[in-house]
Amino acid sequence: MRARVVPALILMLLALGIGVPAAHAQGGFDFSRAEVSVTGLQVPWAMAFLPDGSALVSERNTGRVMRVRPGQAPAAVATVSGVSASGESGLLGLAVSPAYAQDGWVYAYFTSTSGDNRLIRFQLSAPQTQTVLFSGVPSATIHDGGRIAFGPDGMLYVGTGDAGNTANAQNLNSPAGKILRLTPTGGVPSDNPFPGSRVWSYGHRNVQGLAWDAQGRMYATEFGQNTWDEINQIVAGGNYGWPACEGDCGNSSFRRPIVTWPTSQASPSGLAYANDTLFAAALRGQRLWTVPLSGTGTPGTPQAEFTSAYGRLRAVAAGPDGWLWVATSNRDGRGSPVAQDDRIIRVPPAAGGNSGACAATASVQSQWGTGYVVQPVTVTNTGTAATTGWTATFTLPAGHTVTGSWNAVLTTSGQNVTAGNTTHNGALAPGQSTTFGLQATRPAGDTQLPAAYTCT
């Protein structure tokens, strides 16, 4: 019935001379067809997707992790223990393990009743068992950072704030005012820029958004103080200037932001990448900023979407369904909530845009002391048009070597592996999937597996 009523309504409007809203596309998404898909959340802070396409959402003040699906009521699946929610603190970032199909790990970053910010992980099958991986990050009622995300290298990145103490940002012995890079178990990667340290970059005031483009370049949103908010391109060991710099101060000792806004227009929190575009969710600015990127990572002119339409925007993510997901933050004490708040708004792909979107997930078939078989790796066309080819990428742990593959052509560069379709499985209709597999060796006693599966 619904599929017939909508076209009939459009025809009636045309007959009466009443215009139908034209498509309005930015970054491969049609903002004229945005829809409220989830309601009734309590200060959602982060979104992370499970292999079945549902999303986990953290609630800052309640400490709950909610599972959401479009058109369905949110359901609590875990409660993080020992959350202290005051001001900007509470349950903040969420991430799902790139190898979730094998290990089931969910990661969370929160302000604890012990007086610090810390990182834990747990499994939804036993959510009450929560293991602390890293603790001791200075906390306050402001500037707690909180965004966490797995990079294309399989490492876990954590954005922290200066906790109201500006000196923290330049102090390499403090984890505050930094972007940290950790192993999935919370350890220090051997190739971090400062030996023995989790610090990846420093000189940050308050990082609440992390994203990577198709070439693996990293970006982060940065809250300014009174004048300029920022998006920065992040490099290992980079110093981003706080507290000496807010915005671009012209000092060559510090990395310059690629985009700045007056603080009244932004207060940028969540960050996502899709279709050669960065999407930054703005709190005080009450809009979603779209920033086109060139092939070299150079930004074009930012455009604002949703200006004041949904209030304060906290999180944004490119969903596995090919839609852009945006979460509001109107019940955080600084907004003006409506009855449905807080909400998740989904933006569909534009006609002709997002046509090449795809997703890759993997399962381990068998393992032995010095090797394993990964099968199937499932590649799904999540776009809006048929594709004639696909490329999946993933990361091998150090010391691992691919020894064979089937239904894909594999090439390696260091520990990075690229899998391309063969002649018989490149064509995929929207929603259609294909599979491939591989065999690899690893050092005796090593139980790690490939991670960070992505697809284009």
Side-chain angles (χ1 to χ4, degrees):
M1 179 65 69
R2 183 179 179 185
R4 296 176 181 176
V5 169
V6 173
L9 177 61
I10 292 174
L11 291 173
M12 180 180 70
L13 291 172
L14 291 173
L16 293 174
I18 300 173
V20 177
H24 174 66
Q26 287 286 351
F29 297 98
D30 184 354
F31 285 85
S32 68
R33 295 191 294 128
E35 60 184 45
V36 175
S37 295
V38 179
T39 62
L41 292 164
Q42 299 295 318
V43 196
W45 208 96
M47 295 182 286
F49 293 96
L50 295 173
D52 68 357
S54 65
L56 298 180
V57 178
S58 59
E59 290 187 333
R60 190 187 71 184
N61 292 357
T62 68
R64 297 186 303 179
V65 176
M66 312 297 287
R67 191 169 190 168
V68 303
R69 293 180 173 88
Q72 299 183 22
V77 293
T79 300
V80 174
S81 302
V83 171
S84 175
S86 179
E88 298 173 4
S89 66
L91 175 58
L92 305 175
L94 281 182
V96 170
S97 167
Y100 183 88
Q102 292 79 49
D103 59 37
W105 289 120
V106 176
Y107 294 75
Y109 182 85
F110 68 99
T111 313
S112 79
T113 52
S114 298
D116 65 352
N117 286 308
R118 54 183 53 189
L119 176 73
I120 63 167
R121 71 178 183 180
F122 59 89
Q123 296 172 320
L124 294 180
S125 58
Q128 70 281 1
T129 303
Q130 300 168 9
T131 303
V132 177
L133 301 180
F134 179 60
S135 60
V137 180
S139 68
T141 58
I142 58 172
H143 304 182
D144 289 288
R147 196 68 58 184
I148 64 175
F150 279 94
D153 56 3
M155 296 298 165
L156 183 61
Y157 291 78
V158 179
T160 71
D162 66 12
N165 180 353
T166 60
N168 283 334
Q170 292 293 323
N171 179 4
L172 288 174
N173 293 318
S174 171
K178 309 291 189 299
I179 294 175
L180 309 177
R181 179 176 182 256
L182 294 71
T183 68
T185 56
V188 180
S190 59
D191 57 346
N192 270 9
F194 305 104
S197 172
R198 295 175 176 84
V199 173
W200 186 248
S201 63
Y202 65 110
H204 297 291
R205 183 173 182 265
N206 195 16
V207 174
Q208 288 191 5
L210 301 172
W212 289 261
D213 66 18
Q215 287 73 42
R217 291 179 292 247
M218 183 180 183
Y219 302 87
T221 53
E222 180 93 13
F223 282 78
Q225 183 173 21
N226 298 311
T227 309
W228 296 111
D229 292 326
E230 308 170 8
I231 291 179
N232 288 291
Q233 188 179 120
I234 303 301
V235 299
N239 184 347
Y240 290 81
W242 180 254
C245 280
E246 180 184 358
D248 187 352
C249 65
N251 187 330
S252 60
S253 299
F254 306 126
R255 301 284 303 184
R256 301 173 62 179
I258 65 168
V259 177
T260 60
W261 297 279
T263 54
S264 61
Q265 297 179 11
S267 296
S269 185
L271 187 66
Y273 170 85
N275 308 322
D276 300 320
T277 305
L278 290 172
F279 300 88
L283 291 162
R284 184 181 173 191
Q286 298 189 18
R287 65 198 76 183
L288 183 74
W289 284 105
T290 67
V291 183
L293 294 177
S294 71
T296 60
T298 302
T301 302
Q303 301 291 327
E305 300 291 342
F306 291 162
T307 303
S308 301
Y310 297 102
R312 293 164 59 82
L313 304 181
R314 171 73 70 179
V316 56
D321 55 1
W323 293 49
L324 191 70
W325 295 45
V326 184
T328 69
S329 187
N330 291 318
R331 295 191 179 275
D332 62 6
R334 297 177 179 176
S336 300
V338 299
Q340 289 185 315
D341 278 326
D342 274 306
R343 296 162 283 174
I344 292 176
I345 302 99
R346 292 166 61 245
V347 188
N354 205 37
S355 60
C358 67
T361 58
S363 299
V364 176
Q365 183 183 62
S366 59
Q367 300 187 60
W368 56 94
T370 58
Y372 49 88
V373 170
V374 178
Q375 179 178 280
V377 181
T378 303
V379 174
T380 303
N381 178 1
T382 60
T384 57
T387 182
T388 57
W390 49 264
T391 300
T393 61
F394 56 93
T395 303
L396 290 174
H400 293 218
T401 303
V402 172
T403 57
S405 64
W406 44 96
N407 293 332
V409 179
L410 268 60
T411 58
T412 60
S413 176
Q415 299 308 117
N416 297 316
V417 182
T418 301
N421 61 274
T422 62
T423 56
H424 69 275
N425 66 354
L428 296 176
Q432 186 177 8
S433 299
T434 189
T435 63
F436 69 92
L438 64 111
Q439 182 171 317
T441 61
R442 61 186 173 192
D446 185 349
T447 60
Q448 297 184 85
L449 294 166
Y453 290 87
T454 61
C455 181
T456 57

